Amino acid sequence: MTNEYADSTDRRYPVVFLLDANFFFPMVAPVLHQYEKAGLLPPLILVGIGYQSWMAMDSLRQRDYLFPAALPSDEITAEGGGQKFAQFLSQELIPRIDKTYRTQPNERTLAGHSFGGYFPLYALLYQLETQKNDYQNFIAASPTLWYHDFYINRLPEKLKQSTGVDSLNLFLSVGSKEDSTWFVKPLLEFSKAAESQNIHRVEVQVYNSLDHMDVGLLSFVKGLQAFYGNK
């Protein structure tokens, strides 16, 4: 944030929780700073969720972002700690941020890419199952929807069964150069199922000429503009 936070002592701000912060925070923070200066986004509190090191991030993100435990067909090792991670964010991190900073509790965004893109969708599912309201906005960039035999595809039905989802916003994205079978087609099918529910807004973007690792940064910026650009 700029000096806006220090100068406007009575103002409260939306909070963006960014996964894989070891990689993304150094890129996203200055972009949001410039967008704020240009009037393209309002001031936001950006909270990076990362690990002690890159090596730790590589070894622990699958443990923390995915739920349930991996199937043999997933061809990865993941113990399915996503529920515990969602509980940690809900019970420890969010209250700490709200206590430390002047936040808007009804304006929180959770953003992630790849396995980190899967987690916002799982966090939404967990939020519905536990009847919480931790986040109102979700950015899922190139999410690994294929995980655990498309486990997360139960989310649209859960949205249908839940009340109060008309205040939720979902931004989904994928690159056109990503694998069609495992990324592009599943995302388009998932977005159609989500759009048929009572969720306030579902936006999906297929970015031309972008591959998997190119999608995250652009998606975070455009997702936040979709949520906050006109506020």
Side-chain angles (χ1 to χ4, degrees):
M1 292 186 63
T2 65
N3 291 331
E4 156 78 21
Y5 185 88
D7 295 339
S8 303
T9 57
D10 294 330
R11 184 173 178 180
R12 293 187 171 272
Y13 300 87
V15 182
V16 180
F17 292 91
L18 179 65
L19 299 170
D20 287 321
N22 299 70
F23 181 69
F24 284 116
F25 194 91
M27 293 183 283
V28 174
V31 171
L32 297 190
H33 177 78
Q34 290 299 104
Y35 270 55
E36 177 190 333
K37 289 176 63 177
L40 299 172
L41 280 172
L44 304 167
I45 296 174
L46 180 64
V47 178
I49 301 173
Y51 299 88
Q52 281 189 319
S53 66
W54 276 69
M55 185 177 296
M57 180 182 73
D58 282 342
S59 65
L60 297 178
R61 61 194 300 269
Q62 291 178 197
R63 178 199 69 181
D64 291 338
Y65 296 162
L66 301 175
F67 182 89
L71 299 171
S73 58
D74 291 322
E75 298 183 354
I76 62 171
T77 300
E79 61 190 70
Q83 186 176 91
K84 292 181 179 179
F85 195 61
Q87 290 171 348
F88 160 72
L89 298 181
S90 177
Q91 298 171 13
E92 298 186 43
L93 182 60
I94 290 176
R96 184 182 182 93
I97 295 299
D98 285 345
K99 182 178 179 180
T100 305
Y101 302 99
R102 300 192 309 275
T103 65
Q104 292 182 14
N106 63 336
E107 283 291 348
R108 299 192 193 105
T109 298
L110 181 61
H113 170 259
S114 194
F115 289 135
Y118 177 96
F119 183 76
L121 301 177
Y122 172 70
L124 174 54
L125 180 62
Y126 171 81
Q127 179 170 303
L128 296 173
E129 291 175 342
T130 56
Q131 297 183 332
K132 293 181 177 293
N133 188 35
D134 291 327
Y135 316 96
Q136 296 74 42
N137 307 311
F138 303 82
I139 300 175
S142 298
T144 52
L145 299 173
W146 48 264
Y147 180 73
H148 198 94
D149 194 25
F150 295 90
Y151 175 87
I152 207 65
N153 279 355
R154 66 191 62 198
L155 176 57
E157 182 62 27
K158 189 64 180 179
L159 286 166
K160 182 179 180 180
Q161 299 170 359
S162 303
T163 60
V165 299
D166 56 345
S167 62
L168 301 177
N169 299 288
L170 183 58
F171 186 93
L172 305 164
S173 63
V174 70
S176 65
K177 288 189 174 182
E178 297 193 66
D179 186 276
S180 177
T181 300
W182 297 109
F183 282 93
V184 180
K185 184 179 178 181
L187 186 86
L188 295 176
E189 292 176 348
F190 180 88
S191 67
K192 289 181 181 178
E195 286 172 347
S196 67
Q197 310 312 322
N198 294 324
I199 191 169
H200 179 257
R201 176 175 183 164
V202 178
E203 183 169 333
V204 58
Q205 293 289 340
V206 180
Y207 293 118
N208 291 331
S209 302
L210 294 190
D211 213 332
H212 187 69
M213 290 305 297
D214 303 318
V215 174
L217 177 61
L218 179 59
S219 299
F220 301 147
V221 174
K222 301 309 291 183
L224 291 173
Q225 280 193 300
F227 302 149
Y228 300 119
N230 296 323
K231 293 186 179 181

